[in-house]
Amino acid sequence: RKEVEQDPGPFNVPEGATVAFNCTYSNSASQSFFWYRQDCRKEPKLLMSVYSSGNEDGRFTAQLNRASQYISLLIRDSKLSDSATYLCVVVSNTGKLIFGQGTTLQVKP
Amino acid sequence: DTGVSQNPRHKITKRGQNVTFRCDPISEHNRLYWYRQTLGQGPEFLTYFQNEAQLEKSRLLSDRFSAERPKGSFSTLEIQRTEQGDSAMYLCASSSPGRENTEAFFGQGTRLTVV
């Protein structure tokens, strides 16, 4: 079993749609959690941190469920510019950053 | 530019040759990570350092791969006797843990092609 698992997609959605990505992790001692965004042939960049209480940044909402070892990202009112790969990242108790496979989103006009 | 810097950006080498990549992290960051990424996959962990100490190395890595961070600043990743399967993007990231949920910043990567 992979340490961090994501549905690779692709998710093809129309502009304005709401889309949700999920991620599960295997190490219950994991400490920190992030969503990164990666554009084609570019390096990953932080989208947002994920907190147990849930957090929102504009159209983006991240949730963490430690009991179920599950992380989610919700994107509302999708824009064409949201098309990218979204990477779930878990920081282990040893400080190692572990990436999921990534979920590809394609927003169409 | 005070971001993470990687050199070279591109490297084409013949199978069997050795290659070395360099990463200069953000200056105050004490953690440095190396990852490998192939098309359609997420970054795969290779190794990471805290200051000059190599804390963990992936069991997936063969003995042909070695990384150093001699003074706790820049790092090098060497691949000996390259194989075609080593062709990938090699990414370096740095972070400064100590604050809750500290993010890692990535360099633009070194794209290796083994022919």
Side-chain angles (χ1 to χ4, degrees):
Chain A
R1 182 186 172 188
K2 291 184 179 179
E3 293 178 273
V4 179
E5 295 204 61
Q6 291 182 252
D7 180 348
F11 284 63
N12 295 301
V13 302
E15 273 188 288
T18 295
V19 62
F21 305 139
N22 303 319
C23 171
T24 57
Y25 61 96
S26 59
N27 183 353
S28 60
S30 298
Q31 296 181 332
S32 305
F33 308 88
F34 303 92
W35 284 101
Y36 274 69
R37 169 186 170 137
Q38 186 171 27
D39 293 297
C40 188
R41 303 183 79 83
K42 299 284 189 180
E43 74 275 19
K45 292 185 177 179
L46 179 70
L47 178 66
M48 59 195 304
S49 301
V50 187
Y51 301 104
S52 297
S53 55
N55 48 301
E56 188 173 309
D57 183 1
R59 298 180 293 108
F60 299 83
T61 301
Q63 297 274 357
L64 166 64
N65 184 322
R66 283 189 182 270
S68 300
Q69 295 177 205
Y70 172 95
I71 305 161
S72 65
L73 177 68
L74 183 75
I75 305 176
R76 291 181 298 278
D77 188 23
S78 300
K79 312 292 185 190
L80 295 176
S81 58
D82 294 334
S83 298
T85 296
Y86 292 84
L87 296 159
C88 175
V89 181
V90 173
V91 182
S92 74
N93 52 328
T94 61
K96 181 171 72 175
L97 271 69
I98 307 165
F99 285 76
Q101 181 181 1
T103 299
T104 300
L105 172 66
Q106 185 67 45
V107 181
K108 298 187 180 298
Chain B
D1 186 357
T2 57
V4 178
S5 176
Q6 290 188 246
N7 287 288
R9 293 288 307 281
H10 302 274
K11 178 70 177 179
I12 300 174
T13 191
K14 289 184 178 180
R15 190 175 51 188
Q17 297 295 304
N18 299 344
V19 294
T20 300
F21 309 143
R22 175 174 171 132
C23 173
D24 287 89
I26 294 171
S27 60
E28 65 269 23
H29 284 184
N30 56 8
R31 282 213 174 149
L32 186 148
Y33 305 85
W34 283 101
Y35 291 86
R36 176 172 64 188
Q37 188 174 27
T38 54
L39 193 64
Q41 300 296 315
E44 176 189 13
F45 172 80
L46 295 179
T47 189
Y48 84 108
F49 294 83
Q50 179 154 316
N51 300 313
E52 66 274 10
Q54 188 173 20
L55 296 187
E56 190 169 342
K57 181 176 176 180
S58 171
R59 288 172 292 178
L60 299 174
L61 275 189
S62 74
D63 291 341
R64 297 185 297 107
F65 287 73
S66 62
E68 294 184 341
R69 195 182 183 198
K71 297 181 180 180
S73 56
F74 74 92
S75 176
T76 57
L77 177 68
E78 181 183 18
I79 309 174
Q80 296 181 328
R81 305 181 303 281
T82 52
E83 302 172 356
Q84 286 189 318
D86 297 331
S87 295
M89 175 72 85
Y90 290 83
L91 292 164
C92 174
S94 70
S95 70
S96 181
R99 293 182 293 117
E100 185 178 345
N101 272 38
T102 300
E103 70 178 286
F105 294 84
F106 280 82
Q108 293 181 297
T110 295
R111 184 169 296 281
L112 173 66
T113 302
V114 182
V115 298

